[in-house]
Amino acid sequence: MFKTIADPADCEVRSVIRFLNAKKVKPAEIHRQLVEIYGENVMTDGMARKWVRQYNNGRINFHDEERSGRPSVVNDGLVAKVNEKIRENRRFTIRMLSDEFPQISKTILHEIVTNRLNYRKLCSRWVRKCLRMSTKRSDLAMLLNFVPDTVKRAMNS
């Protein structure tokens, strides 16, 4: 009996299909041999036949074709506008930002705020993740402006 190979790369399976097709092996037999070596979840019979057809039509590459994908709506201008809105009101919510930018989904806005601008939630305020000591001091000073005087005195003593 043959040893099975678990989790092969797609290009590996396609190169095997190309090799067996060049040896004039029928598509059904190619699929049977793939299942025998790579297991049941390797590729459907229809996909194996599709690759055989493509190789018969002159395809020589067994890697995926480049696809353009969906263009990203996130650009530097949008990130700057979101940052500007955040600086106007640190107690914003993603829903409030969504009202300001209705064309952008809440998920994308949250990604911009947390990943691109490095903000995180701290006591109902969004502050930047501490990158430098000066950033820490300015954000802490801003937070202390809203702390009652009795708490400030207790912190200093």
Side-chain angles (χ1 to χ4, degrees):
M1 199 70 197
F2 298 107
K3 178 181 173 188
T4 60
I5 300 171
D7 200 26
D10 290 341
C11 61
E12 177 185 348
V13 175
R14 293 175 196 152
S15 63
V16 170
I17 293 172
R18 184 174 176 212
F19 173 77
L20 293 173
N21 185 50
K23 290 185 76 171
K24 304 291 185 209
V25 177
K26 302 250 185 250
E29 178 62 19
I30 291 174
H31 182 258
R32 189 193 65 70
Q33 288 183 29
L34 288 174
V35 169
E36 186 177 323
I37 297 299
Y38 294 110
E40 290 292 324
N41 296 328
V42 63
M43 182 182 285
T44 64
D45 184 49
M47 285 303 292
R49 289 176 187 276
K50 175 186 167 195
W51 280 99
V52 167
R53 271 192 312 275
Q54 287 186 13
Y55 291 133
N56 288 337
N57 290 335
R59 182 174 180 151
I60 57 172
N61 187 1
F62 46 81
H63 292 287
D64 285 329
E65 298 291 329
E66 288 294 323
R67 292 180 267 178
S68 63
R70 188 174 183 178
S72 176
V73 296
V74 180
N75 57 35
D76 292 336
L78 177 63
V79 172
K81 288 178 186 176
V82 170
N83 193 29
E84 195 175 300
K85 286 292 178 188
I86 292 171
R87 290 188 176 274
E88 288 175 11
N89 177 14
R90 290 288 176 118
R91 289 188 179 210
F92 73 92
T93 62
I94 299 297
R95 182 173 288 150
M96 290 166 60
L97 276 179
S98 181
D99 292 341
E100 295 287 330
F101 302 97
Q103 72 278 14
I104 309 297
S105 72
K106 291 178 185 142
T107 306
I108 297 295
L109 285 171
H110 189 270
E111 179 188 321
I112 290 171
V113 169
T114 57
N115 296 341
R116 296 285 293 269
L117 294 174
N118 291 324
Y119 282 98
R120 63 184 173 89
K121 201 81 158 167
L122 179 67
C123 298
S124 79
R125 277 182 183 271
W126 288 85
V127 295
R128 284 190 169 232
K129 292 179 184 171
C130 298
L131 303 175
R132 290 177 278 157
M133 217 40 202
S134 60
T135 307
K136 285 183 186 180
R137 287 188 188 110
S138 66
D139 286 348
L140 184 60
M142 182 186 62
L143 283 173
L144 288 177
N145 287 335
F146 296 97
V147 175
D149 289 333
T150 54
V151 175
K152 284 181 189 176
R153 278 184 251 130
M155 288 173 57
N156 289 333
S157 56

